[in-house]
């Protein structure tokens, strides 16, 4: 995909893209919570369509087409609710990967957290430890979550 006029905006400014993003997330992550339906995911994402505070979601848009997303949320691991806030739902459409968009989405969430006065931000990942490490995130804890290997990472802001 050629990325034309790519920009990262608040999802609140593009709520029409909520169903597409929810479908991406459902296809990618429903194995983690099989009872969680697409409708639940759609409603939860709609709840992140804010321009301030937490939760807040971002969408990358190219020529009016959504190509990626990332969120800043209170907690992404119910086993670790003492840690907050978290970056979650970092996703780039397959056709737009390996061109720096994921990195830009992560940077946007980090910037938002910093602007909101957050001292430390967390995430968990099963497979992308090296990618996040390259952006300055450090391993906080190695654990398991919903039968998956889970690496909790943190970044000090
Ligand atoms: C993980 C994910 C968000 C990365 O998105 P992306 O847009 O491909 O990310 P980037 O382009 O910033 O970086 C990916 C790689 O492409 C490389 N890259 C970036 N720009 C590039 C360019 N112009 N040319 C070639 N390679 C490039 C990066 O160096 C990086 O390399 P690495 O994997 O060896 O570290 C994406 O693969 C995805 O959505 N995966 C499914 C969901 C997921 O796993 N999310 C993370 C959950 S924790």
């Amino acid at each position: 995909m050629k990325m034309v006029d790519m920009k990262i905006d608040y999802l609140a400014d593009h709520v029409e893209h909520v169903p597409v993003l929810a479908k991406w997330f459902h296809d990618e992550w429903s194995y983690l919570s099989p009872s969680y339906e697409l409708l639940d995911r759609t409603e939860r994402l709609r709840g992140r369509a804010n321009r301030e505070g937490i939760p807040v979601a971002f969408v990358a848009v190219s020529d009016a087409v959504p190509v990626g997303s990332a969120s800043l949320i209170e907690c992404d691991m119910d086993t670790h609710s003492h840690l907050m806030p978290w970056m979650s739902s970092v996703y780039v459409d397959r056709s737009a990967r390996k061109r720096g968009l994921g990195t830009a989405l992560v940077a946007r969430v980090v910037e938002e957290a910093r602007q909101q006065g957050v001292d430390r931000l967390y995430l968990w990942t099963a497979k992308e430890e090296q990618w996040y490490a390259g952006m300055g995130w450090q391993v906080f804890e190695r654990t398991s979550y919903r039968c998956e290997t889970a690496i909790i990472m943190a970044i000090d802001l």
Side-chain angles (χ1 to χ4, degrees), residues 42-118:
T42 306
E43 285 313 305
R44 186 170 66 178
L45 186 56
R46 216 179 287 283
R48 297 180 189 171
N50 305 308
R51 292 183 191 83
E52 58 186 22
I54 298 173
V56 57
F58 296 91
V59 60
V61 180
S62 172
D63 201 19
V65 175
V67 287
S69 185
S71 296
L72 174 63
I73 66 171
E74 279 199 6
C75 187
D76 199 29
M77 243 187 180
D78 48 27
T79 51
H80 289 69
S81 54
H82 54 291
L83 304 178
M84 63 180 287
W86 294 63
M87 182 174 67
S88 83
S89 312
V90 178
Y91 187 96
V92 172
D93 185 41
R94 284 181 192 282
S95 62
R97 288 181 189 169
K98 305 268 181 198
R99 279 183 264 173
L101 179 53
T103 300
L105 282 160
V106 170
R108 182 65 189 88
V109 170
V110 167
E111 180 197 327
E112 179 73 21
R114 194 178 281 123
Q115 281 173 6
Q116 292 200 32
V118 170

